Amino acid sequence: MRIVEIRVTPIAVPDVPLANTKGVHQSVFLRSVIELHTDCGRVGLGETYGATRTLNGLKAVAPTLDGLDPWHLNDLRRRVEMALPDAGGVNAPTALADHRVVDVVYSAFEIACLDLQGQQAGRPLHDLLGGAVRDTVSFGGYLFFKFAKRDLTFGPDILGEVMTPDALVAQARWLVDDHGFQSLKLKGGVLDPDQEIETMLKLREAFPQHPLRIDPMGAWTVPTALRVIDKLAG
C-alpha cells in the first residue's frame, strides 16, 4: 500500500467571539481536512489547524509523500522535517505557548496514516495503539467567557455577552438542559482570578453532582494558582 495522491481541504466554520488567554476567537474557525489516497483504493483521513502557517506547511509536505508506505511513520517524519527545515511555530509571538509547524503537520498526516493502517489490518485503530481502555467516552460541556457578537454575517449571536460569573452559569445551564452534559469545563484565565473563583463556586452550587474543571491556560503565576486551589478546595 502506497500513497499516490494527497488532498488538503481548508474549511471555515462560523464561530462566536469566545474569550481566552490569547484574546478572542475570530469570526470563523479554520481547519484543514487531509485525505491520503492509496494505490489500493483506500483513503486515510486526518484533520488539523487551518490557518496560513499550518496550511502552507501541509501544502509544502504533500508532494514529498508520494510513494510513502503508511506504515513507515519514521519515513513520514523524515520527509516532513526535510520539507520544513525552518518552519518555526504556528502561533503568534504573543501567545503563551507555541506549537511547532513540523509537529503539527506530521501529526496531521500521521493520523491519516494510522487510519490506513487500521483499514488494512481490519482492526479498530485502538487495537494498533495498545487496546481500548473504555467502551464509551462522555462529552463535557465546554464553558467560555465571550464578548457580544458584533458581526452577524455568519449567523446569530449565541447567548450574547458572557463576561460575569452569573452569565457563565446561565451558559452552563443552557448546555446542561438542552444538551445533557454531565460534566463541565471552564476555559479560564480571562477574568480576574477572584471572579473565576466566584464562577466555579456558583457552578458548584448550580450543579452539585457535575464534575467541574477549570483551565487557565497557563495564565496564572504559581502563587495565584495555589490561591485558587485553596479557595476551591473540595
Side-chain angles (χ1 to χ4, degrees):
M1 181 170 60
R2 301 281 175 173
I3 295 172
V4 296
E5 181 184 359
I6 296 177
R7 297 177 187 172
V8 177
T9 305
I11 59 174
V13 181
D15 205 356
V16 292
L18 306 176
N20 59 47
T21 60
K22 297 178 183 179
V24 61
H25 283 205
Q26 297 172 325
S27 59
V28 290
F29 188 64
L30 302 174
R31 307 302 289 180
S32 298
V33 176
I34 294 92
E35 301 171 73
L36 302 185
H37 294 254
T38 65
D39 55 3
C40 62
R42 294 188 176 92
V43 180
L45 299 178
E47 175 264 344
T48 188
Y49 306 129
T52 301
R53 294 176 190 175
T54 298
L55 195 57
N56 288 344
L58 293 168
K59 291 179 177 178
V61 169
T64 73
L65 302 186
D66 185 57
L68 175 73
D69 183 333
W71 290 88
H72 293 173
L73 298 180
N74 288 334
D75 188 14
L76 169 63
R77 182 74 191 195
R78 179 185 63 82
R79 296 188 190 204
V80 171
E81 291 179 349
M82 289 183 63
L84 303 171
D86 301 302
V90 300
N91 289 337
T94 55
L96 291 173
D98 202 2
H99 305 300
R100 311 309 296 170
V101 173
V102 168
D103 296 328
V104 170
V105 171
Y106 168 79
S107 64
F109 287 121
E110 178 195 37
I111 291 295
C113 285
L114 291 170
D115 184 16
L116 288 169
Q117 292 178 24
Q119 291 181 45
Q120 188 174 49
R123 303 288 293 271
L125 181 53
H126 60 69
D127 281 353
L128 276 63
L129 299 176
V133 296
R134 58 182 66 85
D135 294 326
T136 61
V137 179
S138 299
F139 281 93
Y142 209 177
L143 307 175
F144 282 83
F145 295 105
K146 65 179 289 291
F147 296 111
K149 187 176 181 182
R150 298 181 181 275
D151 181 1
L152 302 181
T153 302
F154 299 104
D157 189 8
I158 301 174
L159 293 177
E161 183 174 278
V162 180
M163 294 299 290
T164 67
D166 288 338
L168 197 286
V169 172
Q171 180 189 102
R173 176 63 65 193
W174 168 67
L175 285 173
V176 170
D177 290 349
D178 284 21
H179 302 284
F181 289 108
Q182 298 298 307
S183 65
L184 298 167
K185 176 183 176 181
L186 172 62
K187 181 64 77 174
V190 176
L191 303 183
D192 182 275
D194 286 322
Q195 286 183 289
E196 297 194 354
I197 291 170
E198 179 185 351
T199 300
M200 294 300 293
L201 293 174
K202 287 188 173 182
L203 284 170
R204 169 52 67 229
E205 182 179 357
F207 306 99
Q209 303 304 319
H210 281 60
L212 302 177
R213 289 175 287 162
I214 181 170
D215 173 17
M217 293 182 66
W220 295 336
T221 63
V222 172
T224 296
L226 292 173
R227 182 168 66 84
V228 173
I229 290 171
D230 287 341
K231 293 289 186 179
L232 298 180

